[in-house]
Amino acid sequence: QEEKENLEALLRRISDIMVIFDISGKEKEIAQIESESATSDFWHDPAKAQSVMRQLSVKKNLVNTWRELERKITELRDMAT
């Protein structure tokens, strides 16, 4: 029971941090960039496109890290039930 409570508290802290980092906002930005990058004119300026794709990679890594942490802690909490 104590383990489950600790994991629930950890999940709340993770959720708070995800709000601070605006993870859901970054997910929307990722979707928008991916949509823009699918257009043919996106690649007319290769230097700009490359810069945007680097930014996309950074955003994806940040989002994936926090979502994976959230998923793993949720799994642990569920197993402690």
Side-chain angles (χ1 to χ4, degrees), residues 23-57:
I23 296 301
S24 62
K26 286 185 179 33
E27 289 170 326
K28 290 175 186 169
E29 292 172 21
I30 288 167
Q32 181 180 354
I33 293 169
E34 288 176 336
S35 176
E36 290 172 7
S37 69
T39 63
S40 59
D41 61 334
F42 177 82
W43 299 99
H44 286 174
D45 183 348
K48 181 180 176 186
Q50 197 171 38
S51 173
V52 169
M53 295 309 286
R54 276 194 296 273
Q55 292 173 15
L56 175 63
S57 178

Side-chain angles (χ1 to χ4, degrees), residues 42-73:
F42 177 82
W43 299 99
H44 286 174
D45 183 348
K48 181 180 176 186
Q50 197 171 38
S51 173
V52 169
M53 295 309 286
R54 276 194 296 273
Q55 292 173 15
L56 175 63
S57 178
V58 169
K59 289 177 194 283
K60 279 184 164 184
N61 286 336
L62 178 68
V63 167
N64 290 340
T65 297
W66 284 100
R67 289 293 181 201
E68 182 67 12
L69 180 60
E70 179 183 47
R71 185 187 65 77
K72 287 181 179 182
I73 299 300

